[in-house]
Amino acid sequence: MFILWVPIWVVFLQRKGLGLTQIGLLEGFAWVLTAALEVPSGAIADRVGRKASIALGAFLYSIAMFLILADALSPAFLLGYALWNSSTAFVSGADSALLYDSLKASGRTSEAAKQTGRYAAIQQASQGIASVVGAAIATIDMELCFTLCGLGGLAATALVLTVKEPPRHGDDGESALGYWKNLRTAIGIAARRPVVRALLLINATILVVPLVVYYVLLQPYAIGVGLPLASLGIIVLAVQMTTVAASWLAHRVGGRWDLTTIVAAGVAVLLGATGILGAFPSVPSVALMLAVALVPALIGPLMTARLNDLIPSGQRATILSLGALLFELGLAVGMPLLLAFADLLGAPAAIGISAAFFALTVIPLLILWRAAERGLVPAAPRT
């Protein structure tokens, strides 16, 4: 997650001759491809192994970093763009499953929210530091940001292969299933259990709008209100440090308040922050990007831990990948639309529109999830 290109990737593509609408179309294609790979890759992780799936994803990401340097819209560039996002399908779900099953193997599932938050915090801290370094490198050579990330991906591939993977089928009566039966079982669990279904939907929804706002629209928004390119690294660092603190403290917040209450409060903060960013574009308003990034970082580990408590180990990576699939389909639709709006109306208007879309989708899902939680029969604690 030492991603040097985070603060400059949109600007990099614009300087290669692509408009925001073109970037949005490329992103839509890439996220649809990622979504198509998400559940099959999760099933592979459940069947073959978590670390093998993560290593494959890291290696494909490295290839993408080198290919993306080719001429815009050339075959090599398009292949690199496709691998850029889709490589994450082999990591998402598998990493959370590997962490949870490692805790389960040592009888420490009560620490799931805490350790998931720490994992997220370490990733975000790495990305935050990389953002400052990447912005500085970009003032000299933007392509170097991608080359160094390609080398980092190769190092990550070697590193994850040294991990000792815990058994995926323990003493709880689970047994290894074939690929297709495992896939059908996982989808059946998500479809038939209202709480699991609601958690997957609302978690994906809460992730989509904030990511588009602080990951994509931040760059044209900040430059549009008069901030220089070099400052983008500082802004992204501030955003990442906020998410580090939120992820690190998520389990403490979860111990004080009910999860549905925490999520409802987070939704209110997101709606307020995105609404103000859209209505009052200015340098001071950029600070609200911190709030936009904070909410998913705080809520994410808690919702993942809750979901892990509800699903079996044998289908864990596949079900978690279903959540990633929903998130990526949301990006495949939302990112091209919001970038097109930014091209036509400006980044502030696009953020304002995102706030309206978010309210229309997340509030009904929040009501359904709270109802599903109230109707759930308390389960015995997992060990």
Side-chain angles (χ1 to χ4, degrees), residues 133-177:
V133 176
I137 292 173
T139 61
I140 303 168
D141 183 0
M142 286 190 178
E143 291 192 353
L144 189 56
C145 294
F146 293 87
T147 301
L148 293 175
C149 283
L151 296 174
L154 293 175
T157 302
L159 181 61
V160 75
L161 291 174
T162 69
V163 170
K164 182 180 179 182
E165 186 168 354
R168 299 189 298 281
H169 309 284
D171 300 327
D172 51 2
E174 298 175 31
S175 58
L177 302 176

Side-chain angles (χ1 to χ4, degrees), residues 30-209:
W31 285 115
V32 166
L33 176 60
T34 306
L37 290 171
E38 193 65 59
V39 174
S41 66
I44 289 170
D46 280 330
R47 181 64 179 166
V48 178
R50 294 18 169 156
K51 74 176 185 180
S53 182
I54 297 170
L56 177 59
F59 179 74
L60 293 176
Y61 168 78
S62 297
I63 300 301
M65 291 296 96
F66 299 127
L67 291 177
I68 207 72
L69 302 178
D71 292 337
L73 304 182
S74 67
F77 174 88
L78 293 175
L79 176 59
Y81 211 104
L83 292 175
W84 192 354
N85 285 343
S86 62
S87 61
T88 64
F90 293 92
V91 179
S92 63
D95 57 349
S96 297
L98 178 62
L99 175 59
Y100 191 87
D101 285 341
S102 297
L103 292 171
K104 184 178 179 180
S106 56
R108 297 165 58 197
T109 54
S110 61
E111 299 179 27
K114 177 181 178 181
Q115 297 297 344
T116 300
R118 286 182 174 179
Y119 170 57
I122 291 168
Q123 286 187 314
Q124 291 152 1
S126 176
Q127 188 171 309
I129 295 168
S131 297
V132 176
V133 176
I137 292 173
T139 61
I140 303 168
D141 183 0
M142 286 190 178
E143 291 192 353
L144 189 56
C145 294
F146 293 87
T147 301
L148 293 175
C149 283
L151 296 174
L154 293 175
T157 302
L159 181 61
V160 75
L161 291 174
T162 69
V163 170
K164 182 180 179 182
E165 186 168 354
R168 299 189 298 281
H169 309 284
D171 300 327
D172 51 2
E174 298 175 31
S175 58
L177 302 176
Y179 175 86
W180 291 110
K181 188 172 182 180
N182 187 73
L183 185 57
R184 289 194 300 271
T185 301
I187 293 173
I189 290 169
R192 290 192 301 270
R193 298 184 187 178
V195 174
V196 173
R197 184 172 64 244
L199 276 168
L200 290 171
L201 287 168
I202 196 168
N203 193 36
T205 303
I206 287 174
L207 291 175
V208 169
V209 168

